[in-house]
């Protein structure tokens, strides 16, 4: 008989989606609107990227497994694209490593979330982007949001007008 258990990768993906949902709810209550899986010009992809009411850009890197958190060496690349950076973690994940110098607690906030809500455990410091960078990233975020909205309403448009 075949094992009908859900593969670990699928479980982790569902848990990451739940964390993203909880953070999205927290952010929405606070006037921060975000998109999941936002590509950056560096070739990286932010798990969540959003903008607050003052035009500041926020990026959240979501982790649901200890190995994934400890093995992440790419997170400093995100700092060039946001005013505030957060780790978004599943509630069961041990957060002690985020207090070590390798994880630069002076640069990163911490949010714990599940599928229903989230809580900021450590606010992210504001590290203002240069105005030209903020403008460019805000425009990219707006275009991505509009493209997703249009394609959701008319899938025939998928792939049209994509930027290189």
């Amino acid at each position: 008989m075949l094992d009908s258990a859900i593969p670990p990768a699928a479980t982790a993906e569902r848990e990451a989606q739940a964390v993203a949902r909880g953070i999205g709810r927290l952010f929405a209550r606070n006037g921060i609107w975000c998109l999941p899986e936002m590509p950056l010009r560096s070739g990286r992809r932010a798990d969540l990227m959003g903008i607050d009411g003052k035009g500041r850009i926020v990026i959240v890197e979501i982790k649901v497994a200890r190995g994934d958190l400890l093995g992440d060496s790419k997170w400093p690349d995100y700092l060039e694209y946001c005013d505030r950076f957060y780790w978004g973690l599943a509630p069961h994940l041990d957060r002690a490593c985020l207090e070590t110098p390798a994880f630069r607690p002076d640069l990163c906030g911490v949010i714990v979330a599940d599928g229903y809500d989230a809580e900021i455990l450590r606010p992210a410091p504001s590290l203002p982007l240069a105005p030209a960078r903020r403008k460019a990233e805000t425009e990219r975020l707006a275009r991505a949001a509009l493209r997703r909205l249009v394609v959701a309403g008319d899938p025939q448009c998928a792939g049209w007008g994509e930027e290189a």
Side-chain angles (χ1 to χ4, degrees):
M1 180 174 249
L2 292 174
D3 184 359
S4 62
I6 299 170
T11 301
E13 179 63 26
R14 280 200 296 217
E15 190 172 12
Q17 289 171 350
V19 170
R21 180 179 180 207
I23 293 170
R25 287 178 169 191
L26 169 71
F27 279 2
R29 283 194 311 273
N30 289 285
I32 302 169
W33 300 99
C34 56
L35 284 179
E37 300 296 324
M38 179 64 190
L40 303 175
R41 288 183 186 234
S42 66
R44 302 269 188 230
R45 184 177 301 267
D47 291 331
L48 291 175
M49 185 173 186
I51 187 165
D52 70 13
K54 294 183 179 179
R56 294 176 296 210
I57 296 174
V58 179
I59 289 181
V60 179
E61 177 69 0
I62 294 173
K63 299 297 180 187
V64 298
R66 185 174 191 274
D68 190 24
L69 177 60
L70 294 175
D72 189 335
S73 60
K74 70 186 182 312
W75 72 267
D77 297 347
Y78 297 133
L79 299 174
E80 297 177 37
Y81 297 93
C82 62
D83 296 291
R84 290 182 290 155
F85 176 85
Y86 285 96
W87 291 102
L89 307 176
H92 64 80
L93 205 54
D94 179 17
R95 302 180 286 281
C97 66
L98 296 179
E99 302 304 322
T100 65
F103 282 91
R104 299 292 311 269
D106 57 319
L107 300 178
C108 308
V110 177
I111 300 173
V112 173
D114 59 19
Y116 300 99
D117 207 352
E119 180 179 358
I120 295 174
L121 298 185
R122 182 174 68 220
S126 181
L127 304 167
L129 288 173
R133 171 60 66 95
R134 182 179 299 105
K135 180 179 185 283
E137 293 307 312
T138 300
E139 288 174 357
R140 288 183 61 255
L141 190 57
R143 289 180 56 80
L146 291 168
R147 183 173 38 253
R148 291 180 191 185
L149 182 63
V150 168
V151 171
D154 184 359
Q156 184 74 31
C157 296
W160 294 355
E162 289 186 5
E163 298 168 5

